[in-house]
Amino acid sequence: MSAEELKLADELFDDAKYQDAVDLLDKLSEKDVAEVQWRFARAVFFVSKQTSNNDEKAKLVKEAFGYAQRALELDDKNFGANKWYGAILSEKSNLDGVTERIKQLENVKKHFTIAQECNPTDPGILHMLGQFNFKLSEVNWVTRKLINSVAANAPTASFEEALECFQKAETLKPGFYSQNQLYLGKTYLALKQKDKAREWLQKASEVEVRSEDDRVCREEASEALKKL
C-alpha cells in the first residue's frame, strides 16, 4: 500500500466510480490497516446506494459495516474510521428496524463527533452531522416519545444546528456534495425561510447527475420547488 494508491482510490470515489475503487483496494498487498478498511467501507456503502434491489442493498450495507468495524478495531481514533462507521451504522440500524435505529442514535452521534474533532475542516462530516440534526429535528411527537423511552441518553437537535452544519460545510467547499445543497434548501424550508430555501433547492435541482445521490437530489429538489 502506498500514498499514491490511496490517493487514486480517493479520486475514483470522488468521480463516483465506486466499484472501481473497491476493485483497486482489493488489489492492494496491505489491506488490514485502518486507512484501507474505511475506504473499503465507504466505497462498498456507495455501491449499495446504486442498487434498487433491497436484499442486495442490505447485504452490501452489512459488508460495508464490517469494513468500518475493522477500521475502528485497528485505530479507534482514526478520522475516516469514525466518520464512516457512524454513517454506515446509521443506515444499518435503519435496516434493522425503528427500535434498533433509536438505540444507535447516541452511538452514531458519538462517532460523528469524534470524527469532527479529528478533522474539523472536513465538509463531509459536517454534512453528516447536519443530516443527523435535521432528521432528529423533524420527527413527530410520537416518535420523540418513543426515542425518549428507548434511548438511555437520547440526543437532541434543532433545525438551527442542522443549518449551521450545512452552511459551514458549503463554506469550506462550495458545491462539494449535491445532498448538502438539497439539505440547505430543506432546512431553510423547515425554518420557514422560503426565499433562501428556493435559492438552494434551485441549485440542487440543477446538479450534474453522476451518482444515485445526485439523482435523488435533483428529484427531491424539483418536487419541493413545485410546492413553493
Side-chain angles (χ1 to χ4, degrees):
M1 179 194 72
S2 67
E4 289 75 18
E5 288 170 321
L6 293 181
K7 182 182 178 183
L8 180 54
D10 291 341
E11 288 172 353
L12 287 170
F13 178 83
D14 290 342
D15 287 340
K17 297 176 180 177
Y18 308 127
Q19 187 58 54
D20 288 346
V22 173
D23 295 341
L24 171 65
L25 292 166
D26 203 37
K27 293 175 183 176
L28 298 180
S29 57
E30 188 180 6
K31 299 177 190 175
D32 199 29
V33 293
E35 290 295 328
V36 173
Q37 290 294 308
W38 72 252
R39 284 176 169 84
F40 260 127
R42 177 182 66 175
V44 173
F45 181 46
F46 272 74
V47 170
S48 77
K49 295 186 179 193
Q50 306 298 98
T51 179
S52 58
N53 183 299
N54 289 334
D55 290 338
E56 181 67 15
K57 186 183 293 289
K59 177 184 174 183
L60 288 166
V61 168
K62 289 174 183 176
E63 180 184 344
F65 184 68
Y67 287 123
Q69 276 186 309
R70 182 56 182 157
L72 270 186
E73 289 170 2
L74 291 164
D75 183 359
D76 63 2
K77 298 295 189 293
N78 184 280
F79 162 68
N82 279 283
K83 175 181 178 179
W84 292 103
Y85 182 90
I88 299 166
L89 173 61
S90 179
E91 183 65 23
K92 178 183 174 295
S93 62
N94 192 42
L95 294 173
D96 292 337
V98 175
T99 301
E100 183 62 20
R101 181 169 178 78
I102 291 171
K103 285 181 179 178
Q104 293 299 339
L105 283 172
E106 185 182 3
N107 206 16
V108 170
K109 180 70 175 291
K110 180 185 81 172
H111 288 286
F112 282 166
T113 301
I114 292 171
Q116 188 191 24
E117 290 169 351
C118 290
N119 188 355
T121 60
D122 177 72
I125 190 59
L126 283 165
H127 173 79
M128 289 177 183
L129 278 165
Q131 269 211 44
F132 182 90
N133 289 329
F134 180 91
K135 290 177 179 177
L136 196 55
S137 299
E138 69 174 352
V139 300
N140 58 37
W141 71 270
V142 175
T143 306
R144 170 54 63 184
K145 192 171 181 179
L146 180 61
I147 289 172
N148 290 335
S149 68
V150 172
N153 297 292
T156 59
S158 68
F159 288 120
E160 287 81 4
E161 289 173 303
L163 181 62
E164 183 179 359
C165 289
F166 296 135
Q167 285 176 327
K168 282 184 179 178
E170 201 66 29
T171 298
L172 285 166
K173 193 174 182 180
F176 77 102
Y177 185 33
S178 59
Q179 290 280 323
N180 200 66
Q181 296 178 332
L182 173 65
Y183 271 88
L184 273 165
K186 290 170 71 170
T187 309
Y188 276 122
L189 200 56
L191 292 169
K192 304 188 186 309
Q193 297 184 43
K194 288 189 175 182
D195 287 344
K196 290 184 177 178
R198 185 178 289 106
E199 174 189 343
W200 284 103
L201 289 171
Q202 188 63 48
K203 289 180 180 180
S205 72
E206 296 170 353
V207 298
E208 178 188 358
V209 176
R210 300 186 304 155
S211 67
E212 180 63 11
D213 278 357
D214 296 336
R215 186 195 66 77
V216 169
C217 173
R218 284 187 65 137
E219 186 175 292
E220 280 196 33
S222 297
E223 287 300 311
L225 281 169
K226 291 176 185 177
K227 298 174 183 177
L228 280 177

